Amino acid sequence: MQRERITDHIFVFRSDQYAQVTAGLVLTRDGAVLIDTLLYPEETMLIRRYIEKGLGSSVKYVINTHFHADHTTGTCLFPDARVISHQLCREMLDVRGRESLRHLKENAREFDPVELILPDITFDDEMTLDIGGINFKLRASPGHSQDSIVCLLEEEEVLFAADTVMPIPYFVDGSFADFMESLTRLLERDYENIVQGHGEIILRGEVPEKITSDLEYLRRLDEAVKVALDKGQEDIENQVSLTHCGKSHVLLNGVVQQLHQHNIRALVNQYRDAPQQAQEAPSGDVFERNDAWPQKKLI
Ligand SMILES: [Zn+2]
């Protein structure tokens, strides 16, 4: 696991074991706030130990940015914390999160100690919390999933964007149109840093280019899929390349190619009015859906 310090009281942890998924930590005078956890309990326990032994604090709040297992599995390792999420996240955790966890437990012993925790503080559109003198602005940001949120620390201008910002937009479990809207909203202000749900931290100078490039990816993808459908092309997943949509193959250790193909399939289904992907892959999160994450033998 990698650890980075953004300011004296903001840290980011990035998994070595699963798809560079990130967790954020904000230290306040009333205790620590953790924004997401990592997938593997072993890595989340390293975070907990660091907070308790290294920083002499303890986690008072865990924010679940969306219900997917790669972000929420570690919530149970902070039994004294209040858990915050979008109302839909609570509902989705209760159904699909439960199913996803059962699947994980069937496939790997390391998930034996994991229990599903449902958030006890939820909101619909926006919520601002003052915790230990720090303002956390949470707001709905659907697209990657219906229940996705982002968390802004206004004063520090740090945005924990979760999977609204990742190496390529991935909307298979959410909505293309919502993703466009949520990304466009991010352009409304400046940020010192954006913490992506997966991958490296985006620094101030890189932010506008990154968001613009993600929007451009979505536009080009949409355009190319429409053209291919109009021409009656078969095998569209292999016809529309990642580079045509302006993204590199090497992102996220090459996994983006798979994500890109899933995106294409979702769009094709949408235009053909076919049932959504979620029905094909019942548990539906990135982890489950993606048999391509290279680090894991269990899927
Ligand atoms: Zn994720």
Side-chain angles (χ1 to χ4, degrees):
M1 186 182 68
Q2 314 293 313
R3 186 181 72 231
E4 281 183 69
R5 190 168 199 160
I6 301 185
T7 71
D8 62 340
H9 62 287
I10 305 176
F11 300 77
V12 174
F13 303 90
R14 189 166 43 254
S15 175
D16 291 328
Q17 294 187 29
Y18 181 72
Q20 296 173 29
V21 66
T22 65
L25 167 68
V26 184
L27 275 186
T28 81
R29 56 170 190 255
D30 293 342
V33 179
L34 195 59
I35 301 160
D36 279 344
T37 65
L38 302 184
L39 175 65
Y40 287 96
E42 186 194 344
E43 283 195 312
T44 302
M45 277 311 290
L46 289 175
I47 298 178
R48 183 174 149 178
R49 235 167 274 142
Y50 178 70
I51 295 168
E52 292 174 359
K53 303 252 170 359
L55 301 171
S57 186
S58 64
V59 173
K60 293 288 187 314
Y61 295 90
V62 175
I63 297 173
N64 290 158
T65 62
H66 59 301
F67 78 97
H68 288 165
D70 51 337
H71 301 260
T72 53
T73 306
T75 307
C76 63
L77 302 173
F78 303 93
D80 299 328
R82 313 268 327 250
V83 182
I84 305 167
S85 79
H86 195 278
Q87 172 61 24
L88 281 175
C89 175
R90 189 180 201 281
E91 290 166 21
M92 291 168 106
L93 267 172
D94 203 12
V95 181
R96 291 175 56 193
R98 215 172 272 288
E99 191 184 325
S100 178
L101 182 58
R102 192 172 54 238
H103 181 85
L104 288 175
K105 282 172 179 272
E106 278 166 11
N107 285 283
R109 298 297 308 271
E110 43 219 307
F111 296 102
D112 284 355
V114 176
E115 275 174 66
L116 188 87
I117 305 292
L118 295 180
D120 59 323
I121 302 173
T122 62
F123 66 98
D124 269 334
D125 187 29
E126 287 191 354
M127 177 169 68
T128 301
L129 289 168
D130 181 322
I131 303 173
I134 295 177
N135 251 304
F136 292 77
K137 287 190 92 169
L138 310 178
R139 74 156 193 258
S141 182
H144 173 72
S145 60
Q146 259 183 299
D147 64 330
S148 281
I149 62 169
V150 294
C151 171
L152 175 69
L153 302 193
E154 213 165 16
E155 197 154 312
E156 295 82 354
E157 295 189 314
V158 173
L159 181 77
F160 291 91
D163 287 359
T164 297
V165 182
M166 53 188 284
I168 63 168
Y170 186 58
F171 54 83
V172 168
D173 202 20
S175 143
F176 175 89
D178 288 346
F179 219 132
M180 291 288 294
E181 214 177 300
S182 291
L183 274 174
T184 304
R185 240 189 122 176
L186 295 188
L187 290 170
E188 285 169 8
R189 58 171 303 144
D190 295 329
Y191 307 96
E192 199 53 43
N193 298 102
I194 291 185
V195 179
Q196 307 190 84
H198 297 257
E200 303 286 329
I201 297 166
I202 315 286
L203 308 176
R204 175 178 276 278
E206 307 161 340
V207 168
E209 194 188 327
K210 164 66 179 158
I211 308 292
T212 310
S213 137
D214 282 359
L215 283 164
E216 186 62 18
Y217 166 80
L218 290 172
R219 277 189 213 105
R220 288 196 204 178
L221 180 74
D222 185 44
E223 188 57 38
V225 167
K226 280 183 191 149
V227 168
L229 283 170
D230 281 351
K231 286 186 184 157
Q233 271 178 358
E234 296 294 322
D235 192 25
I236 297 175
E237 277 154 74
N238 293 311
Q239 302 300 321
V240 179
S241 76
L242 197 49
T243 41
H244 173 83
C245 302
K247 292 286 187 185
S248 154
H249 286 274
V250 300
L251 297 166
L252 266 189
N253 304 326
V255 172
V256 285
Q257 177 59 30
Q258 305 288 331
L259 303 184
H260 175 64
Q261 289 184 327
H262 290 303
N263 278 340
I264 295 173
R265 203 182 312 150
L267 264 189
V268 167
N269 284 343
Q270 181 188 317
Y271 287 127
R272 285 188 176 144
D273 215 10
Q276 286 303 300
Q277 295 288 304
Q279 287 166 24
E280 283 169 34
S283 47
D285 56 32
V286 171
F287 182 83
E288 298 272 327
R289 180 178 306 286
N290 209 320
D291 41 15
W293 294 120
Q295 298 90 332
K296 278 348 285 176
K297 49 293 174 191
L298 63 102
I299 34 170

